[in-house]
Amino acid sequence: NDESISIINLACIQDSGHTINDAEAKQLAESLAANTYVTELYLNVIELSVRGAAFLMAFIRSSKSLEILSLQSCSHLDMEEYTNPPLVIDVLTRAALSNTTNNNLCVEFDSCQIARSTLLATVEASSSLSELYFATPCEMIVDGEDPTLEDISFSRTMECLHVTQDPFDTLNNRSLALFLLEISVHLPKLVTLGVIDLNDDIPLDELLTKSRTLEELQYTRTRQNNKDALTHRPLIDFLFRTDSLKRVYLNLPGISVQQKTQISLAFEANRSIVQVWQNPVICPNLEKYSLRNSNFRSNWGDLSVTILLELFPIAAAVGVRSAQGRSALFQRLPSLLCSLEQFRQ
């Protein structure tokens, strides 16, 4: 119970690191039995059996200090070779889900094969996780019948989800990324979504426009797929359509001039984003558009607008009742109120 030790890293980075075995797992579990200081535990489990994983369950279930449990099941010497069955990942993940004393716990997956049933368990109502993080591309093992997401009771503690896709794409990896994004729409408390190396064939705009709780989007590209240059069209369409997003973080090395122009136009049309971080600088005006929205919200955020639908044709009434109609109306309010702003001052 050494207070100077808060991070235990038994994972591999490139060609260095450590893989824990069953005997070491037992020793580690004994040493952690009364620990109250460890906040992060990183484990490479390629040599761990279910019996070895069971030794660590008591600490994972009961720790009040643990904030990150990271599971790695692949040697970084060969990222394509998964050497551990998903059952060990399932055992350790479910131990984290049953930790009811900690409402600030994140489970991170690094180069894992994960059963679909395990993924569903992390986001169901019984889960106490606050964050799910896919540090590198992982693969989903389809087990059991296809779930009907509308029939599932989802977690009310999950606030952050980070999805990483292989930019060179494999079928299983794409299935995992798409499945997680479909789930994100149903999480009633999800505030932050991070996507890394998402390809254009994932309908980001169609999926995320359905979310009414999402406030922050972190969109990152680390590697360029030379086979097919990205258009970032799903991202641009989503920025045009969303009326709930507040913060956007864009890390887009190699973005083209045309794409910069399209993203700038999306920000100009958007009326909800109040904070933006960009690398490289896409357009200096993005900060100006965000400041405009921030000022509008601070001055007119409590404004109540009544629209007499009988003054409009039926088609217009239907439009205002729809999400697209409300968004279109909201986009025109600032220009409508610009003279009122001077009157209020």
Side-chain angles (χ1 to χ4, degrees):
N1 201 27
D2 185 348
E3 62 180 294
S4 66
I5 298 176
S6 61
I7 299 175
I8 297 177
N9 189 350
L10 300 175
C12 295
I13 301 175
Q14 295 180 350
D15 58 350
S16 64
H18 186 80
T19 57
I20 190 172
N21 57 39
D22 287 359
E24 292 171 331
K26 183 178 181 181
Q27 292 175 343
L28 179 61
E30 291 171 350
S31 68
L32 289 174
N35 186 281
T36 57
Y37 296 108
V38 168
T39 58
E40 301 178 24
L41 179 59
Y42 298 82
L43 299 172
N44 186 305
V45 298
I46 61 174
E47 296 183 22
L48 202 62
S49 69
V50 172
R51 180 173 177 269
F55 291 133
L56 297 168
M57 289 178 65
F59 168 74
I60 296 172
R61 280 176 173 171
S62 60
S63 174
K64 295 181 181 180
S65 62
L66 189 64
E67 297 178 1
I68 298 176
L69 172 65
S70 178
L71 304 175
Q72 182 187 79
S73 66
C74 168
S75 168
H76 277 255
L77 292 173
D78 186 358
M79 291 294 291
E80 300 301 322
E81 182 184 353
Y82 297 92
T83 57
N84 194 274
L87 186 56
V88 170
I89 298 295
D90 182 80
V91 168
L92 294 172
T93 300
R94 290 182 187 271
L97 303 186
S98 61
N99 187 331
T100 57
T101 63
N102 189 343
N103 59 1
N104 190 34
L105 182 55
C106 167
V107 171
E108 176 181 293
F109 297 107
D110 183 357
S111 306
C112 295
Q113 279 186 318
I114 311 166
R116 184 170 63 185
S117 58
T118 305
L119 288 174
L120 283 174
T122 63
V123 296
E124 289 177 339
S126 57
S127 170
S128 59
L129 297 182
S130 64
E131 184 173 358
L132 200 58
Y133 194 98
F134 287 79
T136 58
C138 297
E139 289 191 9
M140 180 174 69
I141 304 299
V142 176
D143 59 337
E145 297 181 359
D146 290 343
T148 303
L149 298 182
E150 288 74 15
D151 296 338
I152 296 175
S153 178
F154 284 93
S155 167
R156 301 190 67 84
T157 61
M158 181 76 70
E159 296 181 350
C160 303
L161 174 63
H162 298 262
V163 181
T164 300
Q165 187 182 11
D166 181 356
F168 302 102
D169 214 341
T170 63
L171 179 60
N172 287 340
N173 177 244
R174 183 188 183 278
S175 299
L176 172 59
L178 184 58
F179 185 60
L180 290 171
L181 289 173
E182 289 173 343
I183 285 175
S184 72
V185 177
H186 297 275
L187 293 171
K189 297 294 183 179
L190 188 70
V191 175
T192 300
L193 177 68
V195 292
I196 301 175
D197 290 332
L198 208 64
N199 284 333
D200 284 340
D201 62 344
I202 300 290
L204 185 72
D205 55 323
E206 296 179 15
L207 292 170
L208 298 190
T209 303
K210 300 175 185 177
S211 173
R212 308 314 304 169
T213 63
L214 189 65
E215 296 183 0
E216 181 175 309
L217 175 65
Q218 302 172 6
Y219 190 96
T220 299
R221 190 72 186 175
T222 63
R223 293 176 290 180
Q224 184 70 32
N225 186 344
N226 294 325
K227 296 179 181 179
D228 182 22
L230 288 175
T231 65
H232 301 296
R233 191 72 250 172
L235 167 67
I236 295 167
D237 289 344
F238 176 59
L239 294 177
F240 265 112
R241 295 168 64 179
T242 179
D243 58 5
S244 62
L245 202 64
K246 295 181 181 179
R247 298 177 297 276
V248 180
Y249 299 82
L250 300 175
N251 189 2
L252 297 172
I255 187 171
S256 69
V257 174
Q258 182 181 7
Q259 291 164 353
K260 288 181 179 181
T261 301
Q262 292 173 335
I263 289 178
S264 181
L265 290 173
F267 269 86
E268 184 178 8
N270 181 278
R271 299 294 170 176
S272 65
I273 297 171
V274 296
Q275 183 179 348
V276 59
W277 181 88
Q278 47 185 328
N279 177 45
V281 174
I282 296 171
C283 175
N285 284 338
L286 298 193
E287 279 81 4
K288 182 183 72 174
Y289 300 142
S290 300
L291 180 61
R292 171 205 61 192
N293 294 347
S294 179
N295 290 336
F296 175 73
R297 285 179 174 271
S298 62
N299 291 327
W300 300 98
D302 58 349
L303 181 69
S304 178
V305 178
T306 301
I307 300 175
L308 300 177
L309 296 181
E310 57 267 24
L311 299 179
F312 293 85
I314 293 178
V318 173
V320 172
R321 288 196 186 104
S322 69
Q324 292 85 354
R326 290 193 298 272
S327 179
L329 177 67
F330 182 59
Q331 288 180 9
R332 286 159 178 77
L333 277 176
S335 58
L336 180 67
L337 298 171
C338 62
S339 59
L340 292 178
E341 176 66 27
Q342 296 176 348
F343 177 77
R344 167 183 274 193
Q345 293 174 350

